[in-house]
Amino acid sequence: DAKTTQPTSMDCAEGRAANLPCNHSTISGNEYVYWYRQIHSQGPQYIIHGLKNNETNEMASLIITEDRKSSTLILPHATLRDTAVYYCIVRLFGNKLVFGAGTILRVKS
Amino acid sequence: NAGVMQNPRHLVRRRGQEARLRCSPMKGHSHVYWYRQLPEEGLKFMVYLQKENIIDESGMPKERFSAEFPKEGPSILRIQQVVRGDSAAYFCASSPTGGGNEQYFGPGTRLTVT
């Protein structure tokens, strides 16, 4: 599975959009981009995933660049409860998730 | 729908004892994965199982650790002769089929070895 690079931490004001970047320059054509988050010490929570097209669900939007070398997770209206570690994972159609260090997102009032 | 269930949520064992961690996947899910998170570290994959089969155990320590997912009942992660370094949070995830489907995680079992 391709390696990902994410900023160590980010701050976001409550109510504003949080844009979390991820670089995956070695991604191959059949690898998906997944986003998970871990709030405090809870189990990771699935957020969204995509292959080529942009995706949106009730939690977030995922924007993947045309060359697929990077992506951005967007939380449209961040709340204090969105404070968490966010993991960008690139994954073949295999089954294990390889977690990196992720981005610590702090939402501040 | 009940989510992935893990028990116990907290487990304390003395060095040399055995630890058994249980995971009940979501209804309709036949694939189970175990991950470990050491204090202040990221999650590391341990093992992937389907009913009665181990599919990928590339992340399992070679000794003392074993996992099973029987035809009936929960998946069990077993750690024999625990040592202090086994203290961690152990998370189980399930998915309905293998491949690209998302995995849904349980709340974890926090193992403390004294």
Side-chain angles (χ1 to χ4, degrees), chain A residues 76-91:
Chain A
H77 305 287
T79 70
L80 297 177
R81 286 176 295 181
D82 292 320
T83 293
V85 180
Y86 286 77
Y87 298 99
C88 169
I89 299 168
V90 170
R91 177 178 174 233

Side-chain angles (χ1 to χ4, degrees), chain A residues 61-82:
Chain A
S61 294
L62 174 60
I63 309 298
I64 303 174
T65 57
E66 194 168 339
D67 63 8
R68 303 210 322 124
K69 293 184 184 299
S70 66
S71 60
T72 301
L73 178 74
I74 302 172
L75 306 178
H77 305 287
T79 70
L80 297 177
R81 286 176 295 181
D82 292 320

Side-chain angles (χ1 to χ4, degrees), chain A residues 32 34 36 38 41-46 49 87 91-100, chain B residues 33 35 37 42-45 48 56 58 91 98-107 110:
Chain A
Y32 287 76
Y34 280 77
Y36 280 77
Q38 188 174 25
S41 300
Q42 299 176 22
Q45 179 186 22
Y46 165 79
H49 75 281
Y87 298 99
R91 177 178 174 233
L92 265 175
F93 229 64
N95 299 291
K96 68 185 176 190
L97 293 167
V98 179
F99 289 85
Chain B
Y33 317 79
Y35 295 82
Q37 188 168 32
L43 290 102
K44 303 291 184 194
F45 167 80
Y48 161 41
D56 180 355
S58 58
F91 293 99
N101 284 327
E102 55 268 28
Q103 296 177 15
Y104 296 93
F105 283 79
R110 274 142 190 86

Side-chain angles (χ1 to χ4, degrees), chain A residues 96-108:
Chain A
K96 68 185 176 190
L97 293 167
V98 179
F99 289 85
T103 296
I104 300 170
L105 175 68
R106 299 185 195 90
V107 181
K108 300 184 175 182

Side-chain angles (χ1 to χ4, degrees), chain A residues 27-44:
Chain A
I27 192 170
S28 64
N30 53 355
E31 285 182 310
Y32 287 76
V33 179
Y34 280 77
W35 283 84
Y36 280 77
R37 72 180 181 183
Q38 188 174 25
I39 297 173
H40 193 43
S41 300
Q42 299 176 22

Side-chain angles (χ1 to χ4, degrees), chain B residues 6-19:
Chain B
Q6 291 187 249
N7 64 79
R9 295 291 304 278
H10 300 273
L11 182 62
V12 179
R13 285 287 178 266
R14 291 198 185 97
R15 280 178 295 172
Q17 291 185 319
E18 178 180 287

Side-chain angles (χ1 to χ4, degrees), chain B residues 50-88:
Chain B
Q50 292 180 22
K51 288 282 188 181
E52 300 183 281
N53 287 307
I54 296 175
I55 306 302
D56 180 355
E57 56 181 346
S58 58
M60 286 282 268
K62 295 287 184 248
E63 296 176 349
R64 302 187 298 107
F65 285 72
S66 62
E68 63 176 8
F69 188 17
K71 189 175 180 181
E72 301 291 337
S75 175
I76 306 287
L77 179 67
R78 181 181 177 208
I79 311 172
Q80 295 179 289
Q81 299 176 318
V82 296
V83 301
R84 288 230 172 98
D86 297 332
S87 295

